[in-house]
Amino acid sequence: MTDDAVTKRAHGIVARYHETDDERILTFEDESGDGTAAVAQNIDGYAMLKVRTASDGDELERYYGFDMALDHVGERLAVAPTALPIPDPASDMGM
């Protein structure tokens, strides 16, 4: 993992974006500790987005669009997808 993780908070959700050698990863955590989710994409920024239980968790589903992946994350965390904080470097995820 790189040292340049970017964090953003809103509506009781903490979002962290970071890159590994292989992936771009956007993780979400409910500040109450009740839920987590992650959206991952290959490091080149193409291919389907993977929604996981956590950064290194089980894959739940794959999506072409970032908005569809965020819908799934919102359902997992019981918040509207529009309430999810998105750090700027992650805003271009998806195909």
Side-chain angles (χ1 to χ4, degrees), residues 12-14 28-37 53 76-77:
I13 304 293
V14 178
F28 296 93
E29 183 176 354
D30 184 318
E31 287 185 314
S32 68
D34 289 339
T36 61
T53 56
R76 282 191 54 81
L77 301 180

Side-chain angles (χ1 to χ4, degrees), residues 8-28:
K8 189 170 184 178
R9 290 178 168 77
H11 309 284
I13 304 293
V14 178
R16 289 181 184 85
Y17 172 83
H18 71 278
E19 296 179 359
T20 68
D21 290 338
D22 300 317
E23 293 184 312
R24 304 171 68 201
I25 302 173
L26 176 59
T27 59
F28 296 93

Side-chain angles (χ1 to χ4, degrees), residues 21-93:
D21 290 338
D22 300 317
E23 293 184 312
R24 304 171 68 201
I25 302 173
L26 176 59
T27 59
F28 296 93
E29 183 176 354
D30 184 318
E31 287 185 314
S32 68
D34 289 339
T36 61
V39 177
Q41 185 176 39
N42 70 15
I43 195 67
D44 297 320
Y46 65 88
M48 294 179 80
L49 298 170
K50 302 169 203 158
V51 175
R52 299 177 180 154
T53 56
S55 180
D56 60 352
D58 294 334
E59 183 178 317
L60 302 170
E61 193 71 55
R62 289 185 183 214
Y63 298 98
Y64 286 109
F66 193 37
D67 56 342
M68 294 171 64
L70 293 178
D71 282 346
H72 191 154
V73 169
E75 287 178 17
R76 282 191 54 81
L77 301 180
V79 299
T82 56
L84 294 168
I86 308 298
D88 289 340
S91 64
D92 67 345
M93 292 179 83

